[in-house]
Amino acid sequence: MMAKRTLRRRMIRFVTALAVGGSAFQLSGCDPDVRTTLLLGLEGTTQALSDALISAFFLTLEDDDTANTTLTTT
């Protein structure tokens, strides 16, 4: 009996298939307008997701003490 693949391995295979593009969606036989629309949509979504993840990463690196500073007068 063969062991069941883990979720991680299945996701890696799925992402690899998506990265290949044409073989995942069989876009070669598709109408050129539909193919262009689909690829532009995927490009925009991927770019927006990566921008959000990068921004979130750098926001976690910011110093939280800057919001809690108070001015003291003498």
Side-chain angles (χ1 to χ4, degrees):
M1 180 181 254
M2 202 170 189
K4 195 173 185 180
R5 288 191 177 124
T6 64
L7 178 62
R8 182 174 183 259
R9 290 195 102 169
R10 286 184 284 170
M11 290 303 292
I12 289 172
R13 288 182 65 109
F14 178 73
V15 169
T16 302
L18 283 178
V20 171
S23 65
F25 293 110
Q26 295 299 320
L27 295 175
S28 60
C30 201
D31 180 27
D33 293 334
V34 173
R35 180 178 54 230
T36 302
T37 303
L38 177 67
L39 292 176
L40 287 175
L42 286 174
E43 179 185 5
T45 302
T46 305
Q47 185 177 13
L49 177 63
S50 63
D51 287 347
L53 291 174
I54 291 169
S55 295
F57 173 74
F58 282 109
L59 284 174
T60 61
L61 297 177
E62 284 185 358
D63 189 18
D64 290 336
D65 292 336
T66 57
N68 296 329
T69 58
T70 58
L71 295 176
T72 57
T73 58
T74 56

